[in-house]
Amino acid sequence: MNGSMVDLLRRGSTAPVEPFERGFGWRPRGFAGALAARPSSEAELWHARLYGLRPLLRFALAFVWIWTGLVSALLHPPQASLDLLASAGLTAAPAVTALYGLALVDVLLGLALLAGWRVREVAWIQVVMMAGYTLGAGLLLPQLWIDPFGPLSKNLPLIVATLMLIAMEGPRRCSTSD
């Protein structure tokens, strides 16, 4: 049933009920009575409230990953990133590989999420990576915890938002023809 159908029913645009009653032996409830007899459950209300946010959440998370990867690889001064990695003990070729390799992984994970490809699996990889980034950087560069821009503390709500996306995606459904 769509919104137009509901509007028609509310305005009383219905067929005569008497032929139905004669044919089936019972009188159907009116629209308002049927809705009152079975009000929306809490789960249905949650679903209705979150339904439109699900794609926005996926697109927003994809944007964060793509933008972070692009900024890391192309826009932020590479020497500043390499200096930060050096303060964590990573220098020379391994530091360059980490900088550009992880930036590429970030972009690819963001693109996969944007495309809707294996959303649950990609999101779980993102959760693991964020937890790894947060723990690793938090231990090796504890000053980032008190950075006014919150590069580590922002990961905590992002992890929760990603877990929400995973929950909203639900398990993969198998068809009976599989």
Side-chain angles (χ1 to χ4, degrees), residues 50-61:
L50 295 174
Y51 185 77
L53 293 176
R54 180 176 158 209
L56 293 176
L57 179 59
R58 185 167 56 89
F59 293 140
L61 290 171

Side-chain angles (χ1 to χ4, degrees), residues 133-150:
Y133 285 158
T134 305
L135 290 173
L139 292 172
L140 297 172
L141 304 165
Q143 69 273 17
L144 292 179
W145 281 110
I146 57 171
D147 185 297
F149 294 111

Side-chain angles (χ1 to χ4, degrees), residues 5 12 24 28 30 49 81-82 84-86 92 99 101-102 106 123 128 148:
M5 294 169 64
F24 291 98
R49 290 180 194 125
S81 297
L82 294 172
L84 186 64
L85 290 170
L99 173 63
L102 290 173
D106 285 357
V128 169

Side-chain angles (χ1 to χ4, degrees), residues 25-37:
W26 58 276
R27 185 174 188 89
R29 279 189 287 231
F31 182 65
L35 287 179

